Amino acid sequence: MNETRALAQLACIIGRSQGLSVEFDPNMDTAATNGKAIVLPVVANLGTEDHAVLIYGLLDHEAMHCRFTDFAVVKASNDKPIVRSLANLIEDVWGEREQAIIYPGCARNIRKAMEVMIQMGWYRGPDPAANEAPASMFLNFLINGLLARLYLLPKLTEFTDSYRQMLESM
């Protein structure tokens, strides 16, 4: 448990160094930010190397939103979920590319975190039994395809192909 506490404290220190607060919320299933605070999901035991990689990547991704997201646009699109999802999808890819120019280490951290999320099953391709809505399948097809090109991860290409096949069979 000392490793868990140390990693959580490190996350808070990194956040403070960028003028952000960082907190862990057991009710969150993904990371999020409002531009001033980053909220990370609680992992059962944050003491492994993979968890450290995950925390660094999530922090860097959410810090990207703090740097580049226009939160007034986010707020204005709250009642339009498809618009918000598309804007976030484009911003994720564009913002991470822009951030990599300024902070190349962030790109490496985010890519490694994606590998860990795939390995842990937190990020995966479609579940044919889940009866996913077509709009959701299309958004997942887009984000996986764009991130596959950005991160050069073959697993994301597999996810993209799976979503493509599901969409084509509709």
Side-chain angles (χ1 to χ4, degrees):
M1 281 306 177
N2 287 340
E3 296 91 353
T4 300
R5 186 164 195 244
L7 191 54
Q9 287 176 333
L10 178 61
C12 293
I13 291 167
I14 292 168
R16 273 197 306 272
S17 75
Q18 299 299 311
L20 303 165
S21 69
V22 176
E23 48 193 80
F24 289 84
D25 184 340
N27 299 316
M28 296 290 285
D29 59 353
T30 188
T33 186
N34 63 6
K36 297 179 179 117
I38 294 173
V39 182
L40 299 171
V42 174
V43 179
N45 177 9
L46 286 173
T48 70
E49 178 66 27
D50 281 348
H51 293 135
V53 167
L54 184 61
I55 295 304
Y56 278 118
L58 291 173
L59 280 173
D60 285 343
H61 176 83
E62 294 306 321
M64 173 277 297
H65 282 295
C66 293
R67 287 181 187 100
F68 297 114
T69 296
D70 183 339
F71 287 94
V73 172
V74 171
K75 187 175 182 180
S77 67
N78 274 344
D79 61 338
K80 302 171 189 115
I82 191 74
V83 172
R84 194 168 105 206
S85 293
L86 280 169
N88 185 62
L89 177 151
I90 293 165
E91 186 174 75
D92 279 352
V93 177
W94 168 80
E96 286 182 13
R97 286 181 61 199
E98 291 299 305
Q99 181 170 263
I101 295 167
I102 304 166
Y103 301 107
C106 290
R108 286 188 298 274
N109 290 343
I110 294 168
R111 183 182 191 277
K112 287 180 187 176
M114 178 59 78
E115 290 172 332
V116 168
M117 287 188 288
I118 291 168
Q119 176 187 328
M120 294 173 75
W122 287 13
Y123 197 93
R124 56 189 172 276
D127 176 2
N131 199 21
E132 192 173 350
S136 176
M137 283 194 290
F138 185 68
L139 287 171
N140 282 310
F141 164 75
L142 287 175
I143 191 66
N144 280 288
L146 292 170
L147 291 178
R149 289 180 178 94
L150 180 63
Y151 301 149
L152 303 174
L153 292 175
K155 199 68 173 166
L156 292 175
T157 301
E158 288 177 32
F159 297 164
T160 303
D161 292 343
S162 295
Y163 275 112
R164 179 184 296 112
Q165 290 169 7
M166 289 179 73
L167 287 165
E168 288 173 350
S169 69
M170 295 181 82

